[in-house]
Amino acid sequence: MQFTRKGLKADGFTGFRPVRGLETMRIPQGTGLFAVVAPQGFQPRFLNKSTAGTFKKKDPTLPEAALTAEWVEDAVVLYVGKAGPGSKGNRGLRRQIQEFVDFGQGKPPGHWDGRAIWQLADAGSLSIAWKELAPEQLGDAEAGYHAAFLAEFGKLPFANLVQARTKTGR
């Protein structure tokens, strides 16, 4: 797997819509993975305070030293997450991505995966791509992307602070 726009497209990712002005009705409702992708030549500038909403009364802001330590030089993919069906079967890519973007605009989230994205000064210029997958494939697929990224770059994508694991724990 190549962690470039071209590599993601070859692996079945579509969309590549900018966060700024994202039209969520154009995102499929099914389950799958999504990736946050930096534009060509993107240079990180970190905000002192995150634009993201609070979670369980906790501020999502990370210290600049932590953000700098997580930054992966020359990586285009900044985050890989999953969008499952939810306990009632009413979730999926459209709802997960909308909640992710809403989180970056200060709304309280149901979780705060990817929160480092919202401390980038120009997060609106980032794009979101997605790949539809069956619910039973999600855990292994997310863990596989994380492991492959780790193997290539020596650490997880910038905003993935925790490595996904397969159901067997690997």
Side-chain angles (χ1 to χ4, degrees):
M1 166 75 210
Q2 286 189 315
F3 290 95
T4 62
R5 279 179 181 265
K6 188 175 182 179
L8 288 174
K9 284 180 182 178
D11 205 45
F13 279 83
T14 61
F16 297 91
R17 304 271 195 256
V19 169
R20 187 178 296 113
L22 183 68
E23 296 177 43
T24 53
M25 293 308 287
R26 302 186 88 178
I27 299 170
Q29 291 181 329
T31 58
L33 297 180
F34 69 101
V36 177
V37 182
Q40 187 172 357
F42 185 83
Q43 293 297 313
R45 285 183 304 113
F46 302 122
L47 300 172
N48 291 330
K49 177 130 178 70
S50 176
T51 63
T54 58
F55 179 67
K56 296 183 179 177
K57 299 182 183 179
K58 290 196 271 184
D59 183 347
T61 302
L62 295 166
E64 186 173 347
L67 294 167
T68 301
E70 294 298 329
W71 187 255
V72 183
E73 204 61 46
D74 299 322
V76 173
V77 174
L78 305 182
Y79 177 74
V80 176
K82 68 180 176 185
S87 62
K88 296 179 182 160
N90 62 348
R91 299 196 56 78
L93 287 162
R94 183 181 297 166
R95 188 160 173 194
Q96 185 71 34
I97 292 169
Q98 182 64 63
E99 287 178 2
F100 180 74
V101 172
D102 287 348
F103 175 39
Q105 296 172 347
K107 294 181 182 171
H111 58 82
W112 64 357
D113 294 344
R115 70 184 186 272
I117 292 294
W118 308 118
Q119 253 177 282
L120 291 168
D122 197 13
S125 72
L126 304 175
S127 295
I128 297 183
W130 53 83
K131 177 180 180 175
E132 289 188 84
L133 291 169
E136 62 273 7
Q137 296 175 300
L138 291 176
D140 287 346
E142 182 186 35
Y145 279 101
H146 286 186
F149 192 96
L150 187 60
E152 183 173 339
F153 292 98
K155 54 183 165 179
L156 292 171
F158 167 68
N160 285 105
L161 303 179
V162 177
Q163 185 173 359
R165 305 271 184 223
T166 63
K167 287 181 181 178
T168 59
R170 289 182 277 155

